[in-house]
């Protein structure tokens, strides 16, 4: 599956996604993710923002495929290890959510969909709109820091550089500020 950037609508994943993707295979996945996100928020404070940042950093680099969760190897620095993902946190909390989902639906729900559902709940925690999300993404088995440089600005870049990066992806200044 390929995530194609469509301006302020983030991306639209081709074929296979639906709002009811797990209706028969894991009908409570949304509730499980919501319960875990709320529990993690109560235990650790403001995790809501980190869910949004995680989906942004994952989806802006080629696709919404959970490649940001993959660890570096001896031969390759992963997206997670990139300087451009400086300050990313709460990777371990995705593991917590994934474990809860696996307890009820082993081997069914992708980490990419867990990131998406957690971000949806983060938006609600921040008093944003309730949005319907489609699920059915597949997890990537590849990750490379070199790809990140093309899409994500450095944490200490000037505002002009940051806005230029966003504009190159079709995101205007207002949307960039909202994302930042």
């Amino acid at each position: 599956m390929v995530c194609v950037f469509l301006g302020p609508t983030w991306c639209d994943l081709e074929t296979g996604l639906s709002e009811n993707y797990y209706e028969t295979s894991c009908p409570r996945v949304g509730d499980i993710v919501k319960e875990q996100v709320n529990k993690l928020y109560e235990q650790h404070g403001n995790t809501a923002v980190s869910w949004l940042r995680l989906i942004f950093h994952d989806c802006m680099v080629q696709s919404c495929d959970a490649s940001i969760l993959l660890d570096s190897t001896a031969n390759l620095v992963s997206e997670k290890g990139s300087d451009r993902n400086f300050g990313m946190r709460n990777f371990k909390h995705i593991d917590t959510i994934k474990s809860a989902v696996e307890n009820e639906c082993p081997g069914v729900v992708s980490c990419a969909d867990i990131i998406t559902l957690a971000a949806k709940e983060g938006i609600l925690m921040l008093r944003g709109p309730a949005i319907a999300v489609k699920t059915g993404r597949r997890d990537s088995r590849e990750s490379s820091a070199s790809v990140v440089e093309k899409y994500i600005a450095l944490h200490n870049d000037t505002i002009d550089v940051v806005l230029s990066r966003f504009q190159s992806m079709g995101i205007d200044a207002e949307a960039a500020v909202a994302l930042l």
Side-chain angles (χ1 to χ4, degrees), residues 22 26-41 51 93-94 96-102 104 109-122 125 133 135:
Y22 297 111
C26 191
R28 282 195 5 89
V29 66
D31 294 333
I32 296 167
V33 171
K34 181 178 185 172
E35 291 163 8
Q36 292 299 311
V37 165
N38 287 328
K39 187 184 295 184
L40 289 163
Y41 183 82
W51 302 126
H93 297 327
I94 292 294
T96 301
I97 297 169
K98 178 71 170 167
S99 292
V101 170
E102 288 292 311
E104 189 156 327
V109 180
S110 68
C111 289
D113 281 340
I114 289 173
I115 291 171
T116 302
L117 293 167
K120 172 188 173 182
E121 295 306 323
M125 287 178 145
V133 297
T135 51

Side-chain angles (χ1 to χ4, degrees), residues 6 24 28-29 34 37-38 45 59 81-82 89 92-93 106 125 134 138 141 155 167:
L6 297 174
T24 57
R28 282 195 5 89
V29 66
K34 181 178 185 172
V37 165
N38 287 328
C59 292
S82 168
R89 58 191 181 112
K92 65 184 178 240
H93 297 327
M125 287 178 145
K134 293 180 179 180
R138 299 287 177 248
R141 294 172 188 242
H155 67 281
Q167 287 171 347

Side-chain angles (χ1 to χ4, degrees), residues 57-63 65 67 76-80 82 84-85 140 142-153 165 169:
H57 280 251
D58 186 42
C59 292
M60 293 310 290
V61 179
Q62 296 184 317
S63 67
D65 61 3
S67 56
L76 182 71
V77 177
S78 69
E79 293 171 36
K80 186 193 258 186
S82 168
R84 308 233 173 204
N85 287 325
S140 177
E142 298 176 7
S143 179
S144 175
S146 63
V147 179
V148 176
E149 294 176 16
K150 182 177 176 184
Y151 300 100
I152 305 289
R165 290 254 184 192
M169 293 180 276

Side-chain angles (χ1 to χ4, degrees), residues 34 40 48 50 64 70 76 120-121 125-126 159 163 166 179:
K34 181 178 185 172
L40 289 163
S50 62
C64 306
L70 298 174
L76 182 71
K120 172 188 173 182
E121 295 306 323
M125 287 178 145
L126 297 170
I159 191 65
L163 290 177
F166 279 105
L179 288 169

